Amino acid sequence: MRLSFIKCHGSGNDFPLVDGRALDLSDAQWGQVARALSDRAGPVGGDGLLVLTAGDDDAAFGMRMFNSDGSEAETCLNGLRCVARAGFEALGLDRATVRLKTSVATVARATDLAPGVYTVTETAGPATLDVAAWPLDAGAAQVVAAPVPPLDPHRAFTAVAIPNPHLVSFVDRVDEDELVRLGTVCEAAPVWLPRRANVSFVEGRGEDRLFVRTFERGVGLTDSCGSAMAASTYAACLDGRVAFGRDVTVLNRGGLVRARAERDAMVTLSGNATWEWAGEATIDLIHARAGDLTIARHMDAEIAAWAAVADAAC
């Protein structure tokens, strides 16, 4: 099958984005498309696949996100901004409610973070601390700045679902080897964490600035994860590191977002939705391979505008 898509990114979290409103594919087929298009060894590559879907009585449009291993995530907030832009442009909107896999989110066109950087504000939640819903068997109903003994009895985590599950640990300095080790344990779907989880190390970098590094479920070590930045902001507020209702800058390897967590557990992110190029490829659904790539156009001005922001954030 032949598919058209846009290669895009939110804060460096990159994806092929497909308008799936008129496509009739099964969940398994979408998983194969995700594996084909997001394969870093293939012609496109990405952290996963974004799909713009039709709306319903409660939402103007919907979003599905498939990880690079073909599994479907509950949400992806960096990806949501990109899907929001696609939905806005397709339907002539500047704000909307979006249907996610297990929840809804609100999105709106926002003032650009910098000249030429298309920016979307998104609000998701409420974040929940009920680990039984994951499920996570850590010996407690909630985990806030406390160990998860099966993972590491000596490191403190906060367990937050928004709605996908995150284990957040605040560190003086990110040790990527340790992050990968812990993330790999979770990725194996042990009996105490059968649906896996995202794992993030978070550094405080002065007043109202955080740096987040994430081992993402179904992806691995990633330059950016929007829901991890949201979960980390909420966890920082729970831990007294950041005040509820206060804007913070959340940095990552891909750039930054502005974030704010409220006491009602709703979290708002404002960040980029950058188009890089538009193209199409042939998908072999049986073998999950993409080929015969053609690129219709490159969005050089958008790429350059975001590069200036990312360089300044480093």
Side-chain angles (χ1 to χ4, degrees), residues 206-290:
E207 187 176 2
D208 299 333
R209 290 172 74 88
L210 303 172
F211 173 80
V212 179
R213 192 80 166 113
T214 301
F215 189 99
E216 187 173 359
R217 180 181 61 171
V219 177
L221 196 63
T222 183
D223 283 348
S224 178
C225 174
S227 59
M229 292 187 286
S232 297
T233 301
Y234 184 62
C237 292
L238 290 175
D239 212 17
R241 299 169 187 270
V242 173
F244 281 107
R246 183 161 183 164
D247 289 339
V248 298
T249 298
V250 185
L251 305 167
N252 54 69
R253 286 288 183 88
L256 60 86
V257 298
R258 311 291 187 201
R260 183 177 67 256
E262 305 291 353
R263 291 190 181 277
D264 63 1
M266 301 300 288
V267 182
T268 297
L269 299 183
S270 294
N272 71 303
T274 298
W275 284 179
E276 296 186 307
W277 49 272
E280 57 181 48
T282 298
I283 309 299
D284 177 346
L285 288 176
I286 295 176
H287 300 99
R289 294 174 184 159

Side-chain angles (χ1 to χ4, degrees), residues 2 67 89 155 236:
R2 190 85 177 154
N67 296 310
E89 294 183 358
R155 173 169 295 285

